[in-house]
């Protein structure tokens, strides 16, 4: 894997944008975030795979001190990727042109 992409394991939580509840939740290391300059892919066995591109991204937000919340136009859910090194993930995403709202 080159400097133009990276992959990291973590946990994931998938929640509806409205109404509360949880559709899927898995702790570390059951989820994976893969990113390059064209897309971010979040994958978890029960939740499936979320593919994020510049065209469908609404926002990447810091969620508490250990998570990143991904909101896209084509899903009515928020995908929250959790990592103990969330600052490192934010830095690696920024290096690829993906910026989180802090």
């Amino acid at each position: 894997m080159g400097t133009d992409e990276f992959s990291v394991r973590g946990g994931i939580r998938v929640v509806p944008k409205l109404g509360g509840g949880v559709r899927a939740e898995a702790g570390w290391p059951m989820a994976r975030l893969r990113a390059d300059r064209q897309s971010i892919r979040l994958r978890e066995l029960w939740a499936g795979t979320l593919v994020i591109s510049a065209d469908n991204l609404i926002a990447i937000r810091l969620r508490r001190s250990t998570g990143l919340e991904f909101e896209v136009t084509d899903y009515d859910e928020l995908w929250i990727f959790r990592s103990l090194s969330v600052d490192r993930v934010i830095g690696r995403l920024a290096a690829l042109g993906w910026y989180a709202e802090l």
Side-chain angles (χ1 to χ4, degrees):
M1 203 166 293
T3 58
D4 286 344
E5 60 184 339
F6 79 98
S7 176
V8 62
R9 287 195 176 274
I12 202 147
R13 182 178 181 122
V14 180
V15 300
K17 287 183 184 179
L18 301 172
V22 175
R23 181 172 71 80
E25 185 163 19
W28 187 91
M30 301 306 292
R32 180 177 294 276
L33 181 152
R34 291 182 187 265
D36 57 34
R37 294 190 183 279
Q38 287 74 43
S39 66
I40 300 170
R41 292 166 304 285
L42 298 172
R43 186 175 190 290
E44 193 275 330
L45 182 62
W46 295 280
T49 302
L50 174 68
V51 178
I52 302 163
S53 68
D55 294 335
N56 73 351
L57 178 66
I58 294 172
I60 302 170
R61 298 179 192 95
L62 182 62
R63 176 83 175 239
R64 300 191 179 129
S65 62
T66 61
L68 285 176
E69 177 182 280
F70 294 86
E71 183 178 3
V72 296
T73 58
D74 47 353
Y75 275 82
D76 290 331
E77 300 170 318
L78 300 172
W79 288 55
I80 302 156
F81 182 80
R82 290 178 285 176
S83 171
L84 293 176
S85 57
V86 74
D87 291 337
R88 183 171 168 243
V89 175
I90 290 170
R92 304 251 343 243
L93 286 172
L96 296 172
W98 302 98
Y99 299 98
E101 297 173 6
L102 304 177

